[in-house]
């Protein structure tokens, strides 16, 4: 479980944090270049372990890296290795070099190894940086902190504290079960015949975003006004992302709180966003993140979470008869059993029906 709090560094501490980010970014790019050069010239594969073993000699060659905690540097190399592993598994694109705008966080993977991690309530100790004030608005277990991540946003710093929380014992009964069919016209249709409206945060902010992007494009490169315009664009995008995240957290919490069994489809969102007409709307809805939230919250509260095959959920009736229909047809009409209902509600009921047939 991850707790996110806002940090309030002093100007000197903020300068050290920015310096840490810049050194980590350069190390990341250098390590990537080393891998590519070795493979092109010698056909040799450079691994994370090899690059990690070179860190002591690297710090002697570049003394400025002694001002960054060793585990932060190791995590930087681990990120690069993870990026390559995801690429080889077909889960992501080829790793890119990082600009200052794309490398915005650093991590202490073992905060327990650092003394005075939480020196006093409302403060956190970051090695090589100092004791920083933070807004601890939620209690958490200090003894089970596993990782600390510090991230720079547009005009603020946040800390993500990962805490090991045991999952609650799973319930074997499902007194209240629900199937969920996500969509674009409505964000989600539930098998209890309720619907969740799609807020469409990106679509609503699109006009304002386009105007800010046009203002940015008119500014001279490397000018102070361009930097200000870019700050406004980034802040506007950040607001949309936070609105979406808040909405998904609230909806997933409500559903998990009220039901013992939550069933959804196994969606391949990566393939779905290849549709150029629907890609923006699908990304704006945030289906994948919503399902992720449902999954971990259900485990944390001891509820059952099930994913069922998506094939045929919108083309089948509850009685099992096929009912083919295009996307433009919004009403389900079955000639076999006479069922007439909203197609999304029927799909949600079929999802639940399939989940109930899965052994607990």
């Amino acid at each position: 479980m991850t707790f996110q709090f806002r940090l309030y560094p002093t100007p000197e501490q903020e300068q050290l944090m920015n310096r840490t980010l810049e050194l980590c970014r350069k190390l990341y790019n250098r390590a990537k270049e080393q891998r590519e050069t070795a493979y092109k010239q010698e056909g040799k594969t450079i691994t994370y372990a090899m690059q990690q073993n070179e860190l002591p000699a690297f710090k002697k060659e570049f003394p400025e890296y002694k001002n960054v905690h060793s585990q932060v540097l190791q995590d930087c190399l681990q990120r690069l290795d993870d990026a390559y592993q995801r690429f080889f598994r077909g889960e992501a694109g080829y790793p890119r070099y990082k600009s200052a705008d794309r490398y915005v966080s650093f991590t202490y993977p073992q905060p327990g190894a650092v003394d005075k991690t939480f020196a006093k309530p409302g403060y956190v100790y970051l090695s090589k940086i100092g004791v920083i004030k933070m807004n601890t608005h939620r209690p958490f277990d200090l003894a089970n902190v596993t990782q600390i991540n510090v991230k720079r946003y547009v005009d603020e710093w946040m800390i993500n504290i990962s805490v090991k929380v045991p999952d609650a014992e799973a319930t074997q009964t499902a007194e209240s079960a629900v199937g969920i069919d996500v969509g674009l016209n409505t964000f989600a249709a539930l098998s209890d015949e309720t619907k969740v409206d799609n807020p469409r945060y990106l679509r609503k902010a699109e006009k304002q975003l386009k105007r800010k992007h046009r203002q940015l494009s008119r500014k001279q490169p490397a000018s102070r006004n361009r930097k200000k315009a870019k700050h406004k664009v980034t802040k506007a995008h950040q607001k949309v992302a936070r609105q979406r995240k808040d909405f998904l957290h609230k909806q997933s919490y409500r559903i998990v709180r009220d039901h013992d069994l939550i069933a959804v489809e196994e969606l391949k969102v990566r393939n779905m966003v290849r549709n150029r007409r629907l890609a923006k709307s699908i990304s704006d809805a945030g289906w994948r993140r919503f399902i992720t939230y449902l999954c971990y919250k259900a485990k944390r509260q001891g509820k059952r979470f099930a994913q069922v095959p998506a094939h045929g959920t919108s083309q089948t009736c509850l009685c099992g008869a096929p009912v083919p229909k295009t996307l433009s047809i919004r009403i389900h009409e079955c000639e076999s059993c006479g069922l007439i209902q909203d197609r999304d509600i029927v799909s949600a009921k079929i999802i639940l029906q399939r989940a109930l047939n899965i052994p607990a």
Side-chain angles (χ1 to χ4, degrees):
M1 184 175 180
T2 301
F3 295 84
Q4 187 177 71
F5 306 121
R6 183 170 180 179
L7 292 177
Y8 296 91
T10 63
E12 294 77 14
Q13 290 171 337
E14 187 169 14
Q15 186 176 4
L16 290 173
M17 292 159 75
N18 280 319
R19 181 63 175 165
T20 299
L21 283 177
E22 181 62 16
L23 290 174
C24 288
R25 182 184 72 87
K26 290 181 177 180
L27 175 63
Y28 182 98
N29 290 339
R30 181 183 181 278
K32 174 174 164 55
E33 183 181 13
Q34 182 187 32
R35 288 190 177 216
E36 293 183 344
T37 302
Y39 185 78
K40 289 178 181 178
Q41 295 181 357
E42 306 173 19
K44 181 181 177 182
T45 300
I46 303 294
T47 64
Y48 163 74
M50 296 167 65
Q51 292 184 317
Q52 182 191 19
N53 292 336
E54 293 176 358
L55 276 178
F58 177 76
K59 291 167 76 172
K60 287 182 179 180
E61 184 180 357
F62 301 96
E64 61 268 27
Y65 279 89
K66 293 180 180 179
N67 297 322
V68 182
H69 194 267
S70 59
Q71 291 185 357
V72 173
L73 298 177
Q74 292 169 14
D75 178 77
C76 175
L77 298 177
Q78 186 66 61
R79 288 188 193 186
L80 177 64
D81 188 69
D82 291 343
Y84 273 102
Q85 295 303 322
R86 289 194 298 272
F87 168 70
F88 293 136
R89 292 195 300 266
E91 298 174 357
Y94 189 74
R96 299 187 292 181
Y97 288 101
K98 298 294 185 180
S99 65
D101 294 333
R102 289 185 174 273
Y103 201 101
V104 293
S105 70
F106 57 91
T107 302
Y108 295 87
Q110 294 179 336
V114 181
D115 294 335
K116 304 181 298 181
T117 301
F118 298 96
K120 54 184 177 179
Y123 290 84
V124 62
Y125 172 75
L126 302 180
S127 181
K128 305 290 186 177
I129 296 174
V131 179
I132 304 177
K133 184 180 179 181
M134 68 176 178
N135 182 17
T136 316
H137 56 84
R138 295 177 63 192
F140 61 94
D141 188 1
L142 293 174
N144 291 321
V145 174
T146 59
Q147 179 176 284
I148 290 177
N149 173 265
V150 179
K151 187 171 183 179
R152 181 183 65 198
Y153 286 87
V154 184
D155 52 2
E156 62 188 11
W157 291 83
M158 304 292 288
I159 185 169
N160 301 299
I161 302 174
S162 299
V163 181
K164 186 177 181 181
V165 178
D167 294 335
E169 185 176 351
T171 57
Q172 299 299 319
T173 60
E175 296 180 1
S176 175
V178 66
I180 305 171
D181 178 62
V182 294
L184 296 177
N185 290 333
T186 56
F187 174 75
L190 278 59
S191 56
D192 59 6
E193 301 188 8
T194 60
K195 286 188 173 186
V196 179
D197 292 334
N198 190 351
R200 296 184 174 89
Y201 292 117
L202 180 60
R203 293 291 185 181
K204 290 179 180 177
E206 205 165 21
K207 185 177 180 180
Q208 181 186 18
L209 288 170
K210 287 181 179 179
R211 184 171 65 251
K212 291 183 182 298
H213 274 283
R214 287 196 300 268
Q215 293 171 352
L216 173 63
S217 66
R218 290 195 291 266
K219 301 297 185 286
Q220 292 295 325
S223 66
R224 184 174 297 179
N225 283 337
R226 183 176 179 84
K227 186 176 180 180
K228 291 180 181 178
K230 186 175 181 180
H231 177 86
K232 292 180 180 179
V233 169
T234 308
K235 197 166 184 178
H237 279 286
Q238 179 180 277
K239 180 180 179 180
V240 172
R242 286 180 171 177
Q243 286 177 319
R244 184 186 301 116
K245 184 177 180 181
D246 178 72
F247 169 78
L248 296 178
H249 268 302
K250 288 178 178 177
Q251 295 301 325
S252 58
Y253 170 77
R254 180 184 62 82
I255 292 172
V256 172
R257 179 197 62 192
D258 296 341
H259 301 91
D260 298 320
L261 169 63
I262 301 96
V264 298
E265 295 176 294
E266 292 179 341
L267 296 178
K268 295 182 179 179
V269 180
R270 182 183 298 275
N271 295 337
M272 298 172 72
V273 295
R274 292 175 181 172
N275 185 330
R276 294 191 299 173
R277 294 183 178 181
L278 299 177
K280 184 183 291 187
S281 297
I282 292 173
S283 298
D284 189 20
W287 293 341
R288 178 161 28 183
R289 179 172 288 186
F290 177 63
I291 293 172
T292 300
Y293 289 172
L294 287 172
C295 180
Y296 87 76
K297 288 177 182 178
K299 288 182 179 179
R300 195 171 66 197
Q301 297 187 29
K303 306 294 183 70
R304 287 176 56 194
F305 177 80
Q307 286 186 281
V308 301
H311 178 71
T313 54
S314 61
Q315 308 294 322
T316 310
C317 184
L318 291 170
C319 66
V323 185
K325 46 189 174 289
T326 61
L327 283 174
S328 60
I329 301 176
R330 307 310 304 170
I331 299 298
H332 172 94
E333 298 182 14
C334 179
E335 297 180 356
S336 297
C337 65
L339 176 64
I340 301 177
Q341 200 170 30
D342 184 283
R343 64 175 289 164
D344 296 333
I345 298 296
V346 175
S347 295
K349 290 182 178 181
I350 292 174
I351 292 169
L352 177 59
Q353 190 181 70
R354 293 181 179 181
L356 291 173
N357 293 328
I358 301 175

